[in-house]
Amino acid sequence: MRPMLEVRGINVTYGGVTALRDVSLTVAEGSIVSLIGSNGAGKTTTLKAVIGLKTITRGEIHFNGERVDALTAPQRVARGIALSPEGRRVFPQMSVADNLLVGAYLRRDKPDMQRTLERIYQYFPRLVERRAQMAGSLSGGEQQMLAIGRALMAKPRLLLLDEPSLGLAPIIVDEIARIITDINRDTRMSIILVEQNAKLALSLCNEAFVLETGAVALSGPGKELLASDYVRRAYLGI
Ligand code: ATP
């Protein structure tokens, strides 16, 4: 079966400096794929290339059998890709409910949108209690939940999650990890999870890719990488 997403040998540069070099990865329908790597390895840049916030200078990106690398970000969202960005980036002066509605701006199917909203509130009951509250007044964990919920409002088939655990207390990280697993299990939505928390990322995923200085250094099933001596030394501090 063709993978849902195929990234084939892409390069990305920032002002002439290469950030990604010949990066290839695939995401099977319904799977969770983790991207791990240290600061500056190119994880965020990979997500930006997939959603269309960064132009590739070489290679191809295919989504559901269609070449998408020349499409704009909104066009890719319309085809079923959504991003929950690093650092949460919610709109602080807007309510929780309005932040969620922003995520649905390309959708025209109002009744179905309402169902998605209810579903998101089921996954994130903390957001229900705070739906009228300004997003800027939420805790870090709640803002992260809101950022994920906003991406889900687009009803994606592929969800890109950039560092959902960043700066959060372990108990909140566990809660978010459980919700990510539930969403994937219930909806068969594919997920690319970018994480510096390698242990978390490898234990949640089916497949993982290790990025080092803009290139894929290693890939394989999450469980295999968790057991690999190299990964344990370099990323798990064991
Ligand atoms: P982090 O966890 O720190 O976000 P990352 O693995 O996501 O790291 P990227 O943010 O993708 O890494 O960065 C990859 C490379 O591209 C780094 O060398 C970084 O300095 C560079 N880079 C990223 N964004 C820009 C930018 N806007 N302008 C110039 N260089 C950039």
Side-chain angles (χ1 to χ4, degrees):
M1 207 178 70
R2 274 186 92 100
M4 169 182 259
L5 179 78
E6 282 182 82
V7 173
R8 299 187 193 155
I10 64 165
N11 281 17
V12 171
T13 59
Y14 288 102
V17 178
T18 302
L20 295 183
R21 197 165 8 91
D22 197 21
V23 167
S24 294
L25 60 91
T26 56
V27 179
E29 174 112 45
S31 69
I32 301 184
V33 167
S34 289
L35 289 187
I36 64 167
S38 28
N39 268 328
K43 305 181 297 298
T44 298
T45 303
T46 304
L47 295 188
K48 285 184 173 167
V50 169
I51 190 103
L53 293 174
K54 197 68 195 132
T55 310
I56 59 174
T57 56
R58 181 179 174 276
E60 298 180 5
I61 301 174
H62 295 251
F63 181 65
N64 280 332
E66 179 190 10
R67 186 164 176 187
V68 296
D69 47 81
L71 301 181
T72 62
Q75 287 171 326
R76 294 189 217 187
V77 173
R79 279 161 178 73
I81 307 177
L83 169 70
S84 170
E86 183 176 12
R88 312 189 265 269
R89 308 274 169 83
V90 296
F91 299 103
Q93 308 289 350
M94 282 167 59
S95 70
V96 166
D98 285 345
N99 265 274
L100 289 173
L101 289 179
V102 169
Y105 76 107
L106 287 172
R107 290 180 61 178
R108 300 283 170 267
D109 47 348
K110 300 287 177 227
D112 196 42
M113 232 168 80
Q114 189 57 37
R115 278 195 292 277
T116 310
L117 186 62
E118 284 159 16
R119 195 86 191 261
I120 290 166
Y121 281 139
Q122 281 167 10
Y123 284 119
F124 301 106
R126 286 159 181 262
L127 298 184
V128 184
E129 298 155 25
R130 292 172 169 67
R131 67 173 93 186
Q133 204 170 310
M134 292 294 122
S137 69
L138 300 179
S139 72
E142 290 159 355
Q143 289 190 18
Q144 183 58 64
M145 292 174 192
L146 181 55
I148 298 173
R150 187 179 56 190
L152 289 173
M153 279 302 287
K155 212 182 175 186
R157 294 307 306 148
L158 173 64
L159 174 66
L160 312 178
L161 293 177
D162 199 350
E163 302 267 12
S165 81
L166 195 71
L168 303 181
I171 187 167
I172 305 293
V173 173
D174 288 348
E175 190 176 338
I176 289 176
R178 184 181 47 72
I179 296 167
I180 292 171
T181 315
D182 287 351
I183 292 169
N184 171 257
R185 194 199 47 223
D186 300 346
T187 65
R188 304 274 303 143
M189 190 183 291
S190 308
I191 296 173
I192 302 184
L193 175 62
V194 157
E195 264 300 333
Q196 285 211 31
N197 182 340
K199 185 155 180 261
L200 173 77
L202 294 178
S203 45
L204 282 189
C205 74
N206 305 104
E207 291 283 317
F209 292 80
V210 181
L211 281 176
E212 287 179 359
T213 54
V216 175
L218 202 65
S219 65
K223 285 195 180 67
E224 266 176 35
L225 295 197
L226 261 181
S228 129
D229 281 344
Y230 176 75
V231 170
R232 288 162 71 85
R233 267 198 307 274
Y235 296 101
L236 303 172
I238 302 174

